[in-house]
Amino acid sequence: MTTMTRTRNLLGGLILAAATVGTWWAWLGWDTGYTVNPETGATSGPYAPWQVAGCVLTLTLLAAVGGWWLSPWLVAPVMTAAFTLTWATHAASVDETGLWAVGAVLVLVGMAAGTTVVSVGARLIRRRRTRKPAS
């Protein structure tokens, strides 16, 4: 591995980690309140479905761009670790039940699977596009 490749991977990984943490903050980090339905007494939250959908779509875009420019084997662990650690740190600080650990495992598995599939897919598309002969 050349010095240029190492530098690109290090810089790309740091930018990807920062963008992943920024995604959590932009979509989920600011909302800590729960909603209680006055008729049923059911509690929901802290996130609304639109927040989770926006977060997932943004993370999907990051994984695709990351997989296009960087190795998927760098993208998946960086994004998974950055998002899971950020989510778990916040969840542990506000959860009184201890169930944040279960959520953290689910976030870890989901992030690992999702970022791997999307970044590998982006890399395969890039390879296919560069192999096509010019007409």
Side-chain angles (χ1 to χ4, degrees):
M1 188 181 295
T2 67
T3 303
M4 183 64 107
T5 303
R6 281 190 211 133
T7 302
R8 187 180 85 171
N9 285 342
L10 177 62
L11 184 59
L14 289 172
I15 291 169
L16 192 59
T20 301
V21 171
T23 298
W24 174 84
W25 182 254
W27 288 105
L28 307 176
W30 53 269
D31 194 357
T32 58
Y34 286 83
T35 304
V36 178
N37 184 326
E39 294 178 16
T40 64
T43 303
S44 64
Y47 312 126
W50 65 267
Q51 289 174 279
V52 176
C55 185
V56 169
L57 289 173
T58 305
L59 290 170
T60 300
L61 179 63
L62 283 175
V65 171
W68 189 271
W69 293 109
L70 302 167
S71 168
W73 312 122
L74 173 68
V75 172
V78 165
M79 287 185 69
T80 299
F83 194 86
T84 303
L85 288 172
T86 303
W87 185 91
T89 300
H90 174 73
S93 71
V94 297
D95 181 31
E96 297 173 1
T97 66
L99 289 175
W100 69 268
V102 175
V105 170
L106 294 174
V107 168
L108 175 77
V109 171
M111 281 295 296
T115 55
T116 300
V117 167
V118 172
S119 62
V120 168
R123 176 51 57 105
L124 291 174
I125 291 169
R126 181 179 181 190
R127 281 187 183 168
R128 184 172 289 163
R129 287 188 72 199
T130 58
R131 288 186 186 166
K132 285 187 176 181
S135 301

